[in-house]
Amino acid sequence: MLAKRIVPCLDVKDGRVVKGKNFTCINDVDDPVALAAKYSDGGADELVFYDITASNEGRMLFTDILERVAKKVFIPLTVGGGINTLEDFERVLNCGADKVSVNTGALRRPEIIGEAAKVYGNQCVVLSMDVKRVGGRFTVFAHGGRTDTGRDAVEWAKFAQGCGAGEIVVNSIDTDGVKRGFDIEMLKAIADAVKIPVVASGGAGCIEDFIKLFNSVEVDAALGASVFHFGEIDIKELKRQLKNNKTEIRL
């Protein structure tokens, strides 16, 4: 059995790490370079870096900050935001990313998934999905959760897997920043439909939320933000308690 992964997330806007609730009410948190170094040294298995306004603003990801972050990180680094072309993949990988996350760019032109997988390998291509309940369906949103695409989240995950995506990050808009637990129902629906690794994102509020997640759904990793940023959960202690609850994890 592969070890489960704990993955802090840096949502970056205007050169600062920020955090909101339900993808709104964005507040300043810290310097991304300092936080990246903290997590790299503090037991995190991987790190995610999102330039959260790049797609909505129609610009490329800020590579200067990314380069500084990459120099401080000695764990795998996934980077997303404004990824639309193979050139964007190349640019981000050259800045130190290990994997590239594509979201709105893939919704706009799904061919980018297969093109990138062919050039860089499936393991490099991560599909990020922002998902919200709409009319009783799990629906995919674009532009940082601003635009309802009408796409069914389960079908989109299956399609991306077929195109060559090597991993899927499922971001729940409904539970984002609420700290009442992961969206187990939604995560199970998507994880059960695909065979590639799934990363759960949105809703972590305490250590018990992580224990429940890994005991309830076949996900490969759990992503957290504010609970780690503000010291509400210590990653090493989280891993110890997961280990004590029979979750395979690297200490």
Side-chain angles (χ1 to χ4, degrees), residues 11-48:
D11 291 328
V12 179
K13 179 182 180 183
D14 299 327
R16 297 281 295 177
V17 175
V18 297
K19 191 68 188 80
K21 181 182 291 186
N22 306 126
F23 282 38
T24 61
C25 305
I26 304 299
N27 295 304
D28 182 79
V29 176
D30 206 339
D31 171 66
V33 180
L35 267 185
K38 170 188 170 184
Y39 292 134
S40 184
D41 297 336
D45 296 297
E46 296 188 12
L47 185 67
V48 168

Side-chain angles (χ1 to χ4, degrees), residues 1 16 27 87 92 118 142 148 151 165 172 191 228 235:
M1 180 185 295
R16 297 281 295 177
N27 295 304
E87 289 74 20
V92 169
K118 183 177 180 180
D148 184 350
R151 286 182 182 264
S172 170
F228 299 142
I235 292 176

Side-chain angles (χ1 to χ4, degrees), residues 85-86 89 111-122 124-125 164:
T85 66
L86 287 181
F89 270 80
E111 295 83 2
I112 187 64
I113 300 172
E115 292 169 358
K118 183 177 180 180
V119 175
Y120 303 108
N122 304 70
C124 180
V125 182

Side-chain angles (χ1 to χ4, degrees), residues 31-163:
D31 171 66
V33 180
L35 267 185
K38 170 188 170 184
Y39 292 134
S40 184
D41 297 336
D45 296 297
E46 296 188 12
L47 185 67
V48 168
F49 176 109
Y50 288 141
D51 184 336
I52 62 170
T53 58
S55 290
N56 189 56
E57 294 173 0
R59 60 169 172 78
M60 295 188 295
L61 181 143
F62 290 128
T63 53
D64 56 338
I65 300 169
L66 172 57
E67 288 176 338
R68 291 166 52 214
V69 166
K71 290 177 181 177
K72 295 291 186 179
V73 170
F74 302 98
I75 53 178
L77 175 63
T78 299
V79 177
I83 305 297
N84 295 288
T85 66
L86 287 181
E87 289 74 20
D88 292 330
F89 270 80
E90 183 76 16
R91 187 166 49 87
V92 169
L93 290 169
N94 286 339
C95 289
D98 299 284
K99 295 185 280 189
V100 181
S101 175
V102 59
N103 188 333
T104 298
L107 290 162
R108 183 182 298 115
R109 199 175 72 85
E111 295 83 2
I112 187 64
I113 300 172
E115 292 169 358
K118 183 177 180 180
V119 175
Y120 303 108
N122 304 70
Q123 79 289 341
C124 180
V125 182
V126 178
L127 178 74
S128 180
M129 302 169 53
D130 298 330
V131 184
K132 183 180 175 68
R133 283 175 172 78
V134 178
R137 295 171 63 240
F138 299 124
T139 304
V140 179
F141 278 64
H143 303 110
R146 297 172 179 84
T147 305
D148 184 350
T149 70
R151 286 182 182 264
D152 179 82
V154 174
E155 293 305 315
W156 179 231
K158 290 162 63 177
F159 176 83
Q161 174 183 257
C163 290

Side-chain angles (χ1 to χ4, degrees), residues 191-249:
D192 286 352
V194 298
K195 296 180 180 179
I196 57 177
V198 171
V199 181
S201 172
C206 61
I207 287 176
E208 287 71 23
D209 291 334
F210 288 88
I211 294 172
K212 181 180 179 181
L213 170 70
F214 288 129
N215 285 339
S216 304
V217 190
E218 285 298 318
V219 295
D220 297 80
L223 186 150
S226 57
V227 288
F228 299 142
H229 298 341
F230 299 123
E232 297 167 39
I233 296 178
D234 176 78
I235 292 176
K236 291 181 179 179
E237 177 59 24
L238 167 60
K239 287 183 154 190
R240 281 192 289 270
Q241 292 203 33
L242 284 168
K243 191 78 169 180
N244 290 339
N245 280 272
K246 311 302 182 184
T247 298
E248 187 67 28
I249 197 90

